[in-house]
Amino acid sequence: MNPSEIPQTNQERHVKGLEGVIALNSSICYIDGGKGTLVYRGYAIEDLATHSNFEDVAYLLWHGQLPNPDQQIHGQLASLRSIPEEVLNFLSQLPRHFDPMATLRTGISLLSHYDPESNTSTPESNYQKALRLTAQIPTLITALARHRHGKSPIAPRTTGSTAENFLYMLTGEEPNPTAIKSLDAFLVLHAEHGLNASTFAARVIGATLSDMYSAIIGAVGALKGALHGGANTRVMLMLLELQKSGEAPEEFVMRKLASKERIMGFGHRVYKTLDPRADVLRKMLIELGDQTPDMKLWIDLCSGLSRTMDEQKGIRANVDFYSAPILHLLGIDPDFYTTIFVMGRITGWTAHLLEQWEDNRLIRPRAAYTGPMGLNLSDHQ
Ligand code: CMC
């Protein structure tokens, strides 16, 4: 059989990268890429980042509505933060110069072995897993970040918000209110983003009726990539390189574009205008800069890079661009930035899994076959 004889259904043109393809219905998140609008369950992201908090947004994503005062989950999350000693011991055996996303992936996998419900799949047990993962991931990340510097982990407190407790576990010091507020807004902005690559990966795994841990580990693997969550680390490395070399951001952009390289923190598959999350983070960076003189350098570099990218390519900054200097100010090592993305996005991933399992169908697209046909083993030498 030659390719012209391949059945018609197999020759249909596919959409590369599934761009614009509607794969399922979801009531969790609305994005208008043309207008730069992002809405979680009906609420604009700007409103949530400014006037709500991470825990209430997690509840909103999971339950479809904001909590009443007696439904708030701050206390529940705080009580679930500890992780088994065996997991901490295992992680402390790992080499110090690890890739934090790879180790976080391993850490989440280890947690599944100590969760008696890891393979139970009732709505209630899955919701409990969503709570536990949201509570325990910050504890895992801070333990790994401290291990990197040869320090022992700090036990979580059973009070305070996720952002406050994370910053406390990172250093052992009381975090300042501005740092807590910035990290909290960062987590809200990163909590959910429709059918992005990692969420899609989670739903594909979940739809096979595998367990929540397996789906989240797959999502962490997808987020790790440079074209997805891995961009924020690379943005900071670029800013640090510019700081060291003294090269003007305009020249840097021109040089990279001339050699057809991508500039991290710019461009988006869905947003054809400004990413609304980038706009909130940009304003936050400027506010932080007013209080922290050291920030001026990063603000100037970011302005130069984004102006030149807009002028040269008409490409605007995405969420990862302004995240980088903000996380730098919070004292987080650049290669841990994508793990902080996980800390927020775990709520969106788990909300999508809960939604998937409410009305599950195996996700199984097809490929258009482009290979040979009709070969005979007898012709093979
Ligand atoms: N730097 C330079 N050129 C770019 C960039 C960039 N960051 N992004 C897109 N382009 C150009 C690209 O070279 C192409 O130009 P041409 O048509 O002349 O060849 C055009 O824009 C379209 O690019 P594309 O790859 O078809 O667009 P896409 O929708 O597949 O890519 C993207 C989206 C996010 C992968 C891409 O913009 C990119 O690689 N950005 C850098 C990595 C990054 O910042 N990722 C974080 C994304 S937002 C947060 C998240 O999802 O985790």
Side-chain angles (χ1 to χ4, degrees):
M1 200 186 283
N2 66 44
S4 65
E5 292 173 86
I6 295 174
Q8 190 61 41
T9 48
N10 259 343
Q11 290 184 17
E12 283 164 16
R13 252 177 68 81
H14 74 291
V15 180
K16 199 168 180 192
L18 298 184
E19 181 163 359
V21 170
I22 304 294
L24 46 88
N25 287 341
S26 174
S27 63
I28 302 173
C29 173
Y30 172 75
I31 305 171
D32 183 330
K35 292 192 183 137
T37 308
L38 171 59
V39 170
Y40 296 171
R41 303 266 195 199
Y43 294 92
I45 191 65
E46 295 81 356
D47 202 12
L48 292 171
T50 319
H51 301 117
S52 188
N53 59 72
F54 177 60
E55 287 76 6
D56 285 0
V57 166
Y59 187 96
L60 171 70
L61 295 173
W62 291 327
H63 296 276
Q65 56 196 26
L66 284 167
N68 298 324
D70 60 338
Q71 293 171 321
Q72 284 187 321
I73 54 170
H74 293 67
Q76 224 175 338
L77 286 174
S79 69
L80 294 169
R81 287 177 181 146
S82 293
I83 56 179
E85 208 49 45
E86 292 86 341
V87 173
L88 290 174
N89 288 342
F90 184 97
L91 295 175
S92 70
Q93 308 297 313
L94 295 170
R96 284 224 200 126
H97 292 286
F98 47 76
D99 174 337
M101 282 294 278
T103 324
L104 180 61
R105 197 186 56 211
T106 303
I108 295 171
S109 192
L110 287 172
L111 285 179
S112 75
H113 299 286
Y114 296 92
D115 182 344
E117 291 189 307
S118 68
N119 271 327
T120 311
S121 193
T122 60
E124 181 48 29
S125 77
N126 283 327
Y127 179 56
Q128 289 304 321
K129 274 174 267 187
L131 282 167
R132 264 198 294 281
L133 280 162
T134 304
Q136 291 178 325
I137 282 175
T139 314
L140 267 182
I141 298 170
T142 50
L144 292 171
R146 290 181 65 79
H147 174 51
R148 158 69 54 84
H149 296 285
K151 296 177 181 163
S152 353
I154 292 176
R157 286 171 167 168
T158 51
T159 54
S161 70
T162 302
E164 177 183 350
N165 184 64
F166 174 85
L167 292 168
Y168 163 72
M169 287 191 293
L170 195 62
T171 61
E173 288 162 21
E174 290 306 329
N176 73 57
T178 311
I180 298 170
K181 175 73 201 125
S182 308
L183 181 58
D184 189 79
F186 177 96
L187 296 175
V188 169
L189 291 168
H190 284 75
E192 163 57 10
H193 207 233
L195 216 52
N196 58 84
S198 54
T199 303
F200 188 54
R203 285 190 81 135
V204 169
I205 297 171
T208 69
L209 298 186
S210 183
D211 66 292
M212 188 175 269
Y213 286 94
S214 300
I216 296 306
I217 291 158
V220 170
L223 189 73
K224 181 172 178 281
L227 299 187
H228 194 6
N232 55 13
T233 291
R234 290 163 177 86
V235 170
M236 196 64 224
L237 298 179
M238 169 176 75
L239 294 176
L240 290 168
E241 186 189 324
L242 284 169
Q243 178 198 33
K244 197 165 158 210
S245 69
E247 183 177 12
E250 295 76 8
E251 279 169 32
F252 175 87
V253 170
M254 302 300 280
R255 184 165 60 76
K256 294 281 176 189
L257 291 181
S259 58
K260 301 255 178 269
E261 281 177 67
R262 291 203 170 206
I263 302 188
M264 292 293 127
F266 288 93
H268 200 277
R269 173 60 65 82
V270 180
Y271 295 116
K272 298 306 165 204
T273 178
L274 188 63
D275 177 339
R277 302 165 299 173
D279 201 32
V280 176
L281 288 167
R282 186 182 59 80
K283 289 178 186 145
M284 206 157 105
L285 182 64
I286 291 166
E287 269 173 43
L288 286 171
D290 289 342
Q291 298 165 33
T292 323
D294 291 356
M295 288 300 280
K296 189 172 176 330
L297 169 72
W298 309 120
I299 294 173
D300 289 348
L301 288 176
C302 287
S303 314
L305 290 167
S306 85
R307 197 179 41 249
T308 317
M309 274 300 272
D310 199 8
E311 283 165 8
Q312 294 301 317
K313 294 279 287 183
I315 296 179
R316 313 284 295 271
N318 60 46
V319 68
D320 289 323
F321 186 62
Y322 294 105
S323 297
I326 290 172
L327 295 178
H328 180 72
L329 184 73
L330 296 179
I332 297 164
D333 288 348
D335 62 347
F336 273 79
Y337 290 1
T338 317
T339 66
I340 317 298
F341 194 149
V342 173
M343 224 169 107
R345 186 57 58 84
I346 183 65
T347 54
W349 288 335
T350 48
H352 275 270
L353 286 166
L354 297 176
E355 184 179 62
Q356 180 67 36
W357 288 324
E358 270 171 24
D359 182 22
N360 190 58
R361 185 139 202 255
L362 180 72
I363 298 173
R364 205 302 188 188
R366 294 176 58 217
Y369 179 67
T370 59
M373 296 289 278
L375 302 183
N376 291 315
L377 276 176
S378 53
D379 297 336
H380 181 67
Q381 297 296 318

